[in-house]
Amino acid sequence: MKSISKMLPGVLALATATVLGLTSTQVQAQDKTITLCWAAWDPANALVELSKDFTAKTGVKMKFEFVPWTNFADRMLNELNSKGKLCDLIIGDSQWIGGSAEQGHYVKLNDFFAKEGIKMTDFAPATVVGYAEWPKNTPNYWALPAMADAVGWTYRKDWFAKPELQAEFKGKYKRDLAPPKTWTEFKEVSEFFQGKTIDGKKVYGAYIFTERGSEGITMGVTNVLYPMGFKYEDPKKPYAMQGFVNSPDAVRGLEFYKALYKGSTPPGLTNAYMGEGLDAFKSGQVAMMMNWFAFFPGLYKDPNVGGDKIGFFTNPSDKTKGVQLGGQGISVVSYSANRNESLQYIKWFASPDVQKKWQAIGGSSAAKAVLDDPAYPKSSPFAQPFLDSMGMVVDFWAEPSYAQLMLAMQKRVHDYVVADKGTAKEALDALVVDWGKVFKDDGKSK
């Protein structure tokens, strides 16, 4: 027996595996580990838990590299640009798709999807366009929709229900104090709460994004710009921005955002994004808060401001509807030495049963198997607002030069809204020039 074992160790290993109920593929997989990279937040923790099922099914072990949102883009884009091998899978922002596709960072998934029967029609259309396609609106896929998200709103339901505030508001505005459906109503409600004393504490009307360094103020102001008529370009002439980015409607939207910042928000929040908003709401400073839907499950469970004290609503409308798309797709990094195992993960993650569990444990599925379930709208107090939002999302440029485009908008908007430099028209005129130069350098416009 000893002599046989020396001659045929692989046969014995396979025999042992068979006794344990493992396939030869799983035996090989036990020596494989893949690393998934994402931002550090609650949904990432849920994905760690979910991924235990993948390891149990395939034998492929999982490692995770989670980076705080404030450093996420810089860290991960540097990793991709340097052709690093840290990440086998990456859940990257929607704006990265263009650059990552054209620069060869992501594996194109069309053939794999066709082979495995994975259909993009099984996912919400906005998430396919936003997270997976490049060029946009073409059937070229570089990711699987992984984390559906958009900007939404929370409000202090308990404050809105106070009889004395209801009476005061109705006396002033001749309507009930309720979650605002239009931006005109929003401004009235936020100004009504500004400086009020509630439960012995001075409070403020609203929290909105103002962060300058990465994407914050852009991800905030667009929620006013889109409903008021702002467009990134002429729908009939790509990259022609004059009269669209700086249209009278866009100017009005930017002026409106500044009016909210000046008249409806807590003092001192000059460079604030997701975390500061959560802090402001949890500490009872504001009546309404702008933030990503991804944070709402945690807020609803908060012992101080959750449960019956909190409510949720979709982004207000104006002459039209619109809200900023968030969320991410999951991609296979082209520099990975574990491409086959990474593709196995994509196949596993795409299945309806996994998507349902992903939703149940704290993720946000983009799969129609979840979103089209008749029970979904009543599955949480923010489910219907989320569905409504996903029907009107708009995304920022997903161009390969998106980082330059983003930083230009961050500067122009922050300079006007927070730093009081110039007029809204001047800010948007300058933005057209900034963006025009980027597209000219890219050879996409004259």
Side-chain angles (χ1 to χ4, degrees):
M1 193 68 184
K2 287 182 181 178
S3 61
I4 295 175
S5 67
K6 288 180 181 178
M7 294 170 59
L8 301 171
V11 173
L12 290 179
L14 182 57
T16 302
T18 303
V19 171
L20 294 174
L22 301 174
T23 67
S24 59
T25 302
Q26 286 174 308
V27 173
Q28 294 169 359
Q30 285 180 327
D31 296 327
K32 287 287 189 176
T33 300
I34 59 175
T35 300
L36 188 154
C37 298
W38 198 12
W41 59 334
D42 286 347
N45 298 331
L47 190 63
V48 172
E49 194 63 30
L50 182 74
S51 298
K52 292 177 182 177
D53 292 350
F54 172 73
T55 297
K57 181 176 181 178
T58 65
V60 178
K61 300 180 182 71
M62 298 291 298
K63 287 176 61 178
F64 300 90
E65 184 74 17
F66 297 148
V67 181
W69 275 112
T70 49
N71 308 111
F72 177 57
D74 286 345
R75 175 71 180 85
M76 290 300 134
L77 291 176
N78 285 339
E79 178 68 21
L80 293 173
N81 290 331
S82 65
K83 300 184 179 180
K85 298 185 183 299
L86 170 66
C87 308
D88 297 299
L89 293 159
I90 190 167
I91 301 182
D93 266 344
S94 56
Q95 300 100 321
W96 303 0
I97 283 288
S100 295
E102 292 195 7
Q103 293 163 27
H105 298 328
Y106 290 169
V107 173
K108 190 173 183 180
L109 297 173
N110 286 56
D111 291 345
F112 175 72
F113 285 168
K115 176 185 174 184
E116 299 296 343
I118 297 171
K119 300 176 182 177
M120 288 294 95
T121 52
D122 290 338
F123 294 84
T127 68
V128 175
V129 175
Y131 311 155
E133 290 182 353
W134 187 260
K136 294 300 181 188
N137 300 304
T138 70
N140 294 282
Y141 306 119
W142 307 88
L144 181 86
M147 180 73 192
D149 205 1
V151 166
W153 291 89
T154 59
Y155 73 101
R156 286 297 300 266
K157 191 175 180 180
D158 54 338
W159 294 1
F160 276 59
K162 287 181 178 291
E164 66 276 17
L165 296 181
Q166 283 277 349
E168 182 184 348
F169 186 87
K170 192 161 190 174
K172 185 173 183 179
Y173 294 106
K174 311 305 179 190
R175 61 184 178 87
D176 291 335
L177 177 56
K181 295 181 179 180
T182 68
W183 277 111
T184 298
E185 291 178 359
F186 184 96
K187 191 168 185 288
E188 291 173 352
V189 172
S190 63
E191 290 178 349
F192 174 77
F193 277 105
Q194 187 75 354
K196 276 272 189 298
T197 298
I198 298 179
D199 299 331
K201 181 178 179 179
K202 185 177 181 179
V203 305
Y204 301 90
Y207 173 85
I208 59 176
F209 299 156
T210 60
E211 183 267 351
R212 176 169 176 156
S214 61
E215 64 172 19
I217 200 165
T218 298
M219 296 294 100
V221 70
T222 48
N223 297 288
V224 175
L225 292 177
Y226 297 153
M228 292 196 178
F230 168 95
K231 295 187 186 308
Y232 286 103
E233 58 189 345
D234 184 341
K236 299 178 181 178
K237 189 177 180 182
Y239 308 110
M241 298 167 288
Q242 187 68 38
F244 292 87
V245 169
N246 56 351
S247 67
D249 286 333
V251 170
R252 180 171 69 96
L254 185 53
E255 291 172 341
F256 192 93
Y257 199 77
K258 181 170 183 173
L260 292 179
Y261 170 70
K262 295 294 185 181
S264 300
T265 66
L269 293 175
T270 60
N271 189 35
Y273 195 16
M274 300 176 278
E276 291 83 359
L278 296 173
D279 291 342
F281 194 82
K282 289 180 179 180
S283 62
Q285 292 184 58
V286 294
M288 299 179 289
M289 177 193 63
M290 162 189 286
N291 223 314
W292 301 102
F293 273 95
F295 292 109
F296 293 176
L299 276 176
Y300 184 62
K301 296 175 184 176
D302 187 271
N304 297 317
V305 299
D308 293 340
K309 295 180 180 179
I310 194 172
F312 306 89
F313 61 96
T314 55
N315 197 53
S317 62
D318 191 77
K319 65 184 296 182
T320 185
K321 294 182 178 181
V323 64
Q324 180 60 50
L325 178 71
Q328 301 89 31
I330 183 169
S331 299
V332 177
V333 178
S334 61
Y335 318 116
S336 167
N338 302 306
R339 183 176 295 196
N340 288 337
E341 290 75 21
S342 300
L343 289 170
Q344 273 187 271
Y345 189 94
I346 297 283
K347 177 183 176 181
W348 168 81
F349 188 73
S351 70
D353 287 346
V354 173
Q355 286 293 304
K356 289 174 183 177
K357 185 170 182 180
W358 171 227
Q359 181 72 33
I361 68 173
S364 183
S365 175
K368 290 181 179 178
V370 173
L371 300 178
D372 290 351
D373 187 319
Y376 180 82
K378 294 184 179 179
S379 63
S380 74
F382 42 84
Q384 188 62 59
F386 177 73
L387 284 179
D388 294 341
S389 297
M390 293 308 293
M392 60 182 188
V393 288
V394 183
D395 200 11
F396 187 77
W397 295 107
E399 295 283 333
S401 297
Y402 109 90
Q404 295 168 263
L405 300 167
M406 178 68 75
L407 290 176
M409 187 162 183
Q410 286 285 105
K411 172 178 168 52
R412 297 302 181 186
V413 173
H414 196 278
D415 280 355
Y416 169 69
V417 171
V418 178
D420 287 323
K421 294 182 180 179
T423 67
K425 180 68 162 58
E426 289 168 346
L428 294 174
D429 286 346
L431 185 59
V432 170
V433 174
D434 294 339
W435 284 354
K437 184 178 185 304
V438 173
F439 290 130
K440 184 177 180 180
D441 290 345
D442 287 348
K444 294 189 174 182
S445 64
K446 296 179 180 180

